[in-house]
Amino acid sequence: MDVIFYAVPGLIMAVALFMAYRVVYRSFQMRSAWNSGLTAQARCLRMYTTSHGGGGDTRVYTTLHHVYEFVTHDGRLVRFEEEDGPGTTVEGDFVTVHYADGPQVVATAHRPSHGRQAAATVGVLTFLGVVVLFCVGFMTTYTDMSSGMDAMGGF
């Protein structure tokens, strides 16, 4: 029975830590694309939305996706998808993309905004840190309480 009081918070912590890794990784990708100084004209090949929620009386969340294609300075054709782009960009439009060269080209059509990116990253990491601390606190408290019960002879 004790396993559930350690497994569930442990699983929640693992998911939170993985999410933190992905947030930091994506932040570094965006920063490297913006700081590389490389830009290209990309064409929007497709625009679509995805929705989730709406069951019962819950809110519906819609995410806008764009698929872009561009040619790097060394002639490679790159196609990538990006979420939360501007709603005014439609199929066939040309946009400026920032990209970092390498074996795996990292690109974004978002305009550079280092402060906004840093604030969003810090905000998400703070929330995930609180989740991890809560789980650690829960497991520690449970351990203290269960060892106290064992010392008193249990119930």
Side-chain angles (χ1 to χ4, degrees):
M1 183 65 177
D2 287 341
V3 170
I4 198 163
F5 291 106
Y6 295 109
V8 171
L11 181 62
I12 292 170
M13 284 188 337
V15 169
L17 291 172
F18 178 74
M19 289 173 64
Y21 161 76
R22 291 296 303 163
V23 165
V24 170
Y25 181 75
R26 182 63 182 153
S27 179
F28 282 135
Q29 282 185 323
M30 295 282 283
R31 189 168 296 276
S32 71
W34 289 333
N35 290 340
S36 71
L38 298 172
T39 61
Q41 287 297 310
R43 184 166 184 241
C44 179
L45 300 177
R46 184 167 182 238
M47 182 183 89
Y48 65 96
T49 60
T50 56
S51 301
H52 66 278
D57 285 338
T58 62
R59 183 176 170 173
V60 176
Y61 295 94
T62 303
T63 304
L64 185 62
H65 301 263
H66 291 93
V67 178
Y68 299 106
E69 185 175 73
F70 69 98
V71 178
T72 63
H73 68 280
D74 58 356
R76 289 186 288 168
L77 184 67
V78 176
R79 183 179 292 184
F80 70 99
E81 178 180 334
E82 192 165 55
E83 293 180 356
D84 298 327
T88 55
T89 301
V90 295
E91 293 178 19
D93 284 354
F94 287 92
V95 297
T96 300
V97 294
H98 300 267
Y99 70 97
D101 207 9
Q104 182 72 24
V105 174
V106 176
T108 182
H110 292 289
R111 291 186 179 149
S113 66
H114 297 284
R116 183 175 172 204
Q117 178 74 18
T121 301
V122 167
V124 171
L125 290 178
T126 300
F127 172 75
L128 293 172
V130 169
V131 169
V132 168
L133 287 175
F134 177 80
C135 290
V136 168
F138 177 83
M139 291 190 310
T140 303
T141 302
Y142 180 76
T143 300
D144 291 344
M145 289 180 65
S146 65
S147 64
M149 293 290 182
D150 291 342
M152 292 189 312
F155 284 104

